[in-house]
Amino acid sequence: MQAEYMLSVVIPVYNELEVLPEFHARITRVLDGLVLDSEIIYVNDGSGDDSLSLLSEFYEQDTRVAIVDLSRNFGKEIAMTAGLHKAEGDAVVVIDADLQDPPELIPQMIEEWQKGYDVIYAKRARREGESAFKKLSAHLFYRLMRTIGQIKIPEDTGDYRLLSRRAVDALNTLGEQHRFMKGLFTWIGYRQKAVMYERDPRHAGESKWNYWHLWNFAIEGITSYSNAPLKLASYLGLLTALGAFSYGLFIVVRTLLYGDLVQGYPSMIVIILFLGGVQLMSIGVLGEYVGRIFNETKRRPLYFINNFSEPRSRRGQAAE
Ligand code: UDP
Ligand code: MG
């Protein structure tokens, strides 16, 4: 019997050999329990290990499996995008391969989708296996985005989501190179709903995120959604100009009253260094934006596909 709706599951995969067997077992168990048809779209993001051959095994065993093999490692955001482009389901779930996002949450997400929500995001009630510093920096980042970004990204939320067809279509129209997906998911709007869950520590393998990556991720998020740093640079400039003007006035008055004392080497050096620092920093901020404009104007395709193995269930009639 063919179900009325189809669910696509998109999984970005980068060197996940250790977790994939367990992940695949759990996701298929969940999907088997659904009344919907489904397809499992693995996006191999240029893995350096044998992840791809393992995925090929899944492909042979299960007609629902599809593999998008990217030409190199493009990063998770692009890998997700590639998967979303290939997904044909009425609803699409985006989930990590490392089992930090429990697949068992999918039925609950589907329930909300059937109530008419378009974006159902998993909100973690608790973070385990992560350092206090990572928790704090994540918290501050979300706060910052809510304050200066023009979009309110829900806090404690990863990329684990269920998207309705029209939400996916909306995302697919966005062709920007700098894809801060968490922001884009929110930016498209529509009716959004949270589903709470407890985030588990990584099942096996290592997170590819170090602090440098997180820092760059944060810059990406801020510069993609907010001009606040540019404004900050202008205000900083205004403030220092005001300070310089007042100090200049003070110098003039003092010189008139007491004559030119030829002093002030320390204050001069401090002012020169301070102004130099402010200027360099402001140029740096400008540079961040110019660099992004540069990348966008090249209008390059977001990724290249080495090979796309469509789910066999798509071509044949529905399985069984
Ligand atoms: N991933 C990817 N490309 C990359 C890095 C990661 O496709 O360049 C995938 C990875 O295989 C996993 C998901 O993105 O399925 C989340 O990665 P990770 O667990 O390293 O990130 P974290 O959970 O620490 O945010
Ligand atoms: Mg992870």
Side-chain angles (χ1 to χ4, degrees), residues 11-14 16 45 73 75-76 79 96-98 100 134 199 202 206-209:
I11 310 113
V13 176
Y14 178 56
E16 298 287 6
D45 188 18
N73 177 252
K76 184 187 176 186
D96 285 358
D98 62 5
Q100 277 190 296
K134 192 169 176 184
R199 188 165 171 90
R202 217 170 202 290
E206 295 228 318
S207 169
K208 279 107 207 152
W209 293 93

Side-chain angles (χ1 to χ4, degrees), residues 150-174:
Q150 281 127 14
I151 44 156
K152 307 269 176 263
I153 299 177
E155 201 169 336
D156 288 335
T157 304
D159 292 317
Y160 189 17
R161 270 171 179 71
L162 184 146
L163 304 156
S164 69
R165 186 72 247 168
R166 62 175 183 171
V168 175
D169 288 342
L171 278 173
N172 287 348
T173 61
L174 307 176

Side-chain angles (χ1 to χ4, degrees), residues 55-233:
L55 293 176
S56 306
E57 277 174 40
F58 298 158
Y59 184 79
E60 293 307 322
Q61 291 156 9
D62 194 328
T63 58
R64 293 173 295 186
V65 172
I67 305 173
V68 183
D69 184 28
L70 299 182
S71 61
R72 64 167 170 89
N73 177 252
F74 281 94
K76 184 187 176 186
E77 315 283 308
I78 300 282
M80 277 193 287
T81 305
L84 287 174
H85 285 160
K86 293 295 182 193
E88 289 187 356
D90 300 289
V92 181
V93 167
V94 186
I95 184 170
D96 285 358
D98 62 5
L99 290 172
Q100 277 190 296
D101 307 332
E104 290 72 24
L105 209 63
I106 292 176
Q108 218 179 314
M109 290 174 153
I110 290 175
E111 235 170 77
E112 300 296 337
W113 169 57
Q114 281 166 341
K115 282 185 206 159
Y117 289 100
D118 290 279
V119 179
I120 296 101
Y121 54 92
K123 196 172 156 90
R124 40 186 182 253
R126 179 165 66 95
R127 284 177 162 222
E128 274 203 20
E130 284 178 2
S131 70
F133 182 70
K134 192 169 176 184
K135 277 185 228 178
L136 180 73
S137 49
H139 178 74
L140 291 177
F141 171 69
Y142 287 121
R143 280 284 135 83
L144 190 67
M145 283 303 290
R146 287 168 85 99
T147 322
I148 68 170
Q150 281 127 14
I151 44 156
K152 307 269 176 263
I153 299 177
E155 201 169 336
D156 288 335
T157 304
D159 292 317
Y160 189 17
R161 270 171 179 71
L162 184 146
L163 304 156
S164 69
R165 186 72 247 168
R166 62 175 183 171
V168 175
D169 288 342
L171 278 173
N172 287 348
T173 61
L174 307 176
E176 58 224 77
Q177 300 279 338
H178 290 272
R179 315 200 125 243
F180 181 70
M181 293 302 279
K182 272 188 228 191
L184 295 183
F185 288 138
T186 311
W187 184 84
I188 57 167
Y190 294 124
R191 270 169 299 173
Q192 312 223 348
K193 171 93 195 226
V195 169
M196 302 300 290
Y197 79 112
E198 312 236 308
R199 188 165 171 90
D200 300 319
R202 217 170 202 290
H203 183 74
E206 295 228 318
S207 169
K208 279 107 207 152
W209 293 93
N210 54 37
Y211 286 115
W212 177 243
H213 279 127
L214 285 174
W215 169 249
N216 282 315
F217 192 66
I219 291 183
E220 190 75 57
I222 292 165
T223 51
S224 299
Y225 290 93
S226 167
N227 292 330
L230 289 173
K231 272 194 200 145
L232 189 74

